[in-house]
């Protein structure tokens, strides 16, 4: 698969799916769900220019330090306060069952699973996945929020629509009702968002840098001194 990818016989999407499968990740287990990277950082422009390297996230850094301002805090927090487990940078994970349900809250069976997780009701509206730009902004402002993406962001526009009309409540600050997911300004529709997002994944920039993210998630920077140096140690 590596050779096929290097020779560009398969897409970046297909290579990532193969790596997820080989790593034991599967759609059948929410705690080992396939994981994909946040690849963009521009969710505010009117148009998305995929020839401009500045619209892309730095794929060599874990999502927790995608904002460089967080790096010092993450380094300083590299400890176990109880002294009973190995040191870690992040107390949560870039992929877990709650995160999958967070993204797929509008789609069954994930809606029901989310409600079960929240003791029979929807979670507080402000904590729900209600906007793509706001989700990225949360990564920029909060080093504790280290969720990467799921494959659906690259092929499944329906998960962005509240087709079943679930009552997801209202946001506290704006009192705005949570319904369909708010899209970046450069996306004309859900389908357009998925299409442009997939093009971004297959772009020249990502093709040249995707291996750096793969090192963090599937490769040699998962553990040991390389992981410590890369600020990539999880609880």
């Amino acid at each position: 698969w590596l050779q096929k990818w290097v020779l560009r016989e398969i897409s970046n999407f297909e290579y990532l799916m193969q790596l997820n499968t080989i790593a034991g990740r599967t759609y059948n287990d929410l705690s080992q769900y396939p994981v994909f990277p946040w690849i963009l950082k521009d969710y505010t422009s009117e148009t998305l220019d995929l020839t401009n390297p500045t619209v892309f996230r730095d794929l060599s850094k874990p999502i927790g330090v995608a904002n460089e301002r967080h790096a010092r805090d993450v380094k300083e927090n590299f400890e176990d306060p109880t002294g009973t487990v190995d040191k870690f940078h992040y107390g949560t994970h870039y992929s877990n069952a709650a995160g999958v349900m967070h993204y797929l809250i509008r789609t069954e069976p994930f809606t029901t699973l989310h409600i079960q997780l929240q003791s029979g009701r929807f979670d507080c509206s402000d904590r729900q996945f209600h906007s793509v730009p706001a989700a990225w902004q949360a990564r920029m402002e909060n080093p504790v929020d280290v969720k990467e993406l799921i494959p659906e962001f690259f092929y499944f526009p329906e998960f962005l629509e509240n087709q079943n009309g679930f009552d997801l409540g209202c946001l506290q600050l704006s009192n705005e009702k949570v319904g369909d997911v708010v899209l970046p300004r450069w996306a004309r529709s859900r389908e357009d968002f998925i299409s442009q997002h997939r093009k971004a994944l297959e772009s020249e920039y990502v093709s040249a840098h995707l291996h750096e993210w793969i090192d963090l998630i599937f490769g040699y920077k998962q553990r040991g001194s390389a992981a410590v140096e890369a600020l990539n140690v999880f609880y």
Side-chain angles (χ1 to χ4, degrees):
W1 287 109
L2 173 61
Q3 201 59 35
K4 280 174 177 281
W5 179 60
V6 169
L7 295 173
R8 302 202 173 189
E9 292 174 6
I10 59 172
S11 65
N12 292 338
F13 180 88
E14 188 174 357
Y15 186 51
L16 286 173
M17 285 305 300
Q18 291 298 337
L19 285 177
N20 272 284
T21 302
I22 292 164
R25 291 186 168 274
T26 168
Y27 287 113
N28 299 320
D29 183 350
L30 293 188
S31 65
Q32 291 291 335
Y33 206 77
V35 57
F36 268 60
W38 282 93
I39 52 173
L40 295 171
K41 64 179 183 182
D42 181 358
Y43 295 96
T44 56
S45 297
E46 292 287 348
T47 56
L48 183 63
D49 180 6
L50 296 179
T51 64
N52 182 356
T54 63
V55 307
F56 295 95
R57 160 211 176 170
D58 183 346
L59 289 162
S60 69
K61 293 176 180 169
I63 194 68
V65 288
N67 183 340
E68 291 177 13
R69 292 204 311 268
H70 296 155
R72 191 186 69 194
D73 292 340
V74 166
K75 274 182 194 169
E76 288 174 356
N77 291 339
F78 186 56
E79 57 181 80
D80 165 37
T82 64
T84 56
V85 297
D86 293 337
K87 293 179 179 179
F88 55 87
H89 293 119
Y90 314 102
T92 58
H93 205 244
Y94 53 77
S95 172
N96 56 39
V100 176
M101 290 180 245
H102 172 76
Y103 287 134
L104 295 175
I105 187 173
R106 293 162 179 78
T107 308
E108 288 288 16
F110 306 97
T111 311
T112 298
L113 292 168
H114 168 90
I115 290 169
Q116 288 172 356
L117 181 71
Q118 297 295 331
S119 305
R121 55 186 172 76
F122 285 113
D123 192 12
C124 164
S125 301
D126 291 81
R127 285 199 297 263
Q128 290 172 17
F129 175 48
H130 60 87
S131 160
V132 177
W136 174 254
Q137 198 57 35
R139 306 298 178 281
M140 290 295 94
E141 293 171 0
N142 183 5
V144 175
D145 192 343
V146 295
K147 285 189 290 294
E148 290 279 14
L149 297 183
I150 53 176
E152 283 81 352
F153 274 84
F154 300 93
Y155 68 82
F156 186 53
E158 287 79 9
F159 89 100
L160 299 165
E161 183 181 4
N162 187 15
Q163 290 180 330
N164 295 308
F166 295 122
D167 183 1
L168 301 173
C170 296
L171 300 176
Q172 275 187 324
L173 282 177
S174 63
N175 208 30
E176 182 186 343
K177 191 165 175 54
V178 177
D180 298 343
V181 175
V182 176
L183 302 173
R185 291 169 68 185
W186 44 257
R188 295 187 304 276
S189 64
R190 288 177 288 278
E191 291 77 13
D192 184 49
F193 168 76
I194 296 292
S195 173
Q196 291 201 64
H197 205 211
R198 183 70 169 261
K199 280 179 187 163
L201 178 63
E202 303 301 339
S203 68
E204 199 56 43
Y205 179 90
V206 174
S207 296
H209 293 276
L210 188 57
H211 66 281
E212 296 168 339
W213 184 81
I214 289 169
D215 287 341
L216 297 168
I217 306 299
F218 301 106
Y220 77 104
K221 290 184 180 177
Q222 291 177 82
R223 295 167 186 262
S225 58
V228 175
E229 194 176 330
L231 305 179
N232 194 44
V233 181
F234 292 83
Y235 175 69

